[in-house]
Amino acid sequence: DVKVTQSSRYLVKRTGEKVFLECVQDMDHENMFWYRQDPGLGLRLIYFSYDVKMKEKGDIPEGYSVSREKKERFSLILESASTNQTSMYLCASSLWTQGLNINYGYTFGSGTRLTVV
Amino acid sequence: DAKTTQPNSMESNEEEPVHLPCNHSTISGTDYIHWYRQLPSQGPEYVIHGLTSNVNNRMASLAIAEDRKSSTLILHRATLRDAAVYYCILAIEDSNYQLIWGAGTKLIIKP
């Protein structure tokens, strides 16, 4: 069964800490995405990557950075965690087509619920 | 800006068909219609997508209006495991086909 695996289901971090969220996919997908999901706001795109070492900002990149050193792994980094970054973080991947996702769906991980205290 | 309009919630009885509506009046000719669902405490799951023609797969059917300004996701025989939030999403060419997520429809299945 194909999978997107997020390293942690739950995380609690302190304000100001540097936080790493890891995502690994085993489908040889080119595209990978990081979203956050908040009640009433839906899913919002933070960053995405369509190739190794490539990254593009999504709708809410402030306070975040990403790293994609290998095709299967996409990391989200909170440089200095703040309480307003408490959220559910979702990683996804998809095959590349002429656009990001014309003919293929996204496969999502189960999410990481991050609490910053 | 979600670009789609869905009812906040719907109820249906188990083992009956469910029709989930979605309006997307601003759709353009090259935009795709995607549907995902999210079960409690899980990430979203791809259901189906289409461009102009109706589509069927093992999970559901997608009926697209002739003018493409609306679509309907059809679950042919709902089970309790189909209780989820269903998202209708446009993959828009101008945004490089990124998915713009709205609030979705919470589907409640009654036994």
Side-chain angles (χ1 to χ4, degrees):
Chain A
D1 196 15
V2 294
K3 271 188 180 177
V4 174
T5 304
Q6 295 185 230
S7 54
S8 303
R9 194 82 170 97
Y10 298 94
L11 272 179
V12 180
K13 296 292 182 181
R14 295 194 180 277
T15 301
E17 275 193 76
K18 190 169 186 177
V19 181
F20 293 86
L21 302 183
E22 305 288 343
C23 175
V24 177
Q25 51 97 0
D26 64 2
M27 297 165 283
D28 202 33
H29 283 175
E30 290 84 3
N31 300 325
M32 295 189 75
F33 308 84
W34 274 106
Y35 287 88
R36 63 178 282 176
Q37 185 173 27
D38 301 287
L41 297 176
L43 275 79
R44 293 179 291 168
L45 182 64
I46 305 171
Y47 269 96
F48 64 96
S49 167
Y50 50 86
D51 201 354
V52 176
K53 297 192 185 294
M54 305 300 289
K55 61 182 179 184
E56 296 283 344
K57 292 180 180 178
D59 299 319
I60 51 163
E62 295 79 20
Y64 303 95
S65 62
V66 290
S67 172
R68 192 160 180 207
E69 296 296 319
K70 294 184 178 181
K71 189 176 185 179
E72 66 271 18
R73 187 179 296 270
F74 193 36
S75 303
L76 180 69
I77 303 154
L78 287 65
E79 297 290 343
S80 178
S82 64
T83 55
N84 63 14
Q85 292 178 310
T86 292
S87 186
M88 169 68 82
Y89 289 87
L90 290 159
C91 176
S93 71
S94 75
L95 281 167
W96 171 263
T97 58
Q98 65 192 76
L100 282 177
N101 65 333
I102 292 179
N103 292 319
Y104 300 95
Y106 288 12
T107 301
F108 279 84
S110 297
T112 296
R113 185 163 294 282
L114 173 67
T115 302
V116 182
V117 297
Chain B
D1 190 2
K3 310 282 187 186
T4 61
T5 304
Q6 299 177 256
N8 289 333
S9 65
M10 290 182 62
E11 286 189 1
S12 182
N13 294 319
E14 193 176 12
E15 299 189 5
E16 290 185 357
V18 179
H19 291 235
L20 295 162
C22 181
N23 289 317
H24 28 78
S25 58
T26 61
I27 194 170
S28 68
T30 53
D31 298 341
Y32 283 70
I33 303 157
H34 283 240
W35 283 83
Y36 283 74
R37 72 179 186 180
Q38 188 171 20
L39 280 65
S41 301
Q42 294 188 27
E45 175 187 27
Y46 167 79
V47 177
I48 201 167
H49 78 280
L51 182 61
T52 56
S53 304
N54 294 343
V55 184
N56 300 296
N57 67 20
R58 63 175 180 81
M59 291 182 70
S61 296
L62 175 60
I64 301 173
E66 196 169 335
D67 64 5
R68 301 211 321 129
K69 294 185 184 301
S70 66
S71 61
T72 302
L73 180 72
I74 302 164
L75 308 178
H76 294 286
R77 193 164 166 267
T79 70
L80 295 177
R81 289 179 296 178
D82 292 320
V85 177
Y86 286 78
Y87 296 94
C88 169
I89 305 160
L90 294 187
I92 297 171
E93 183 184 21
D94 287 349
S95 301
N96 200 16
Y97 295 103
Q98 288 184 47
L99 302 183
I100 310 297
W101 298 74
T105 296
K106 183 175 183 179
L107 177 64
I108 299 164
I109 305 296
K110 295 182 289 184

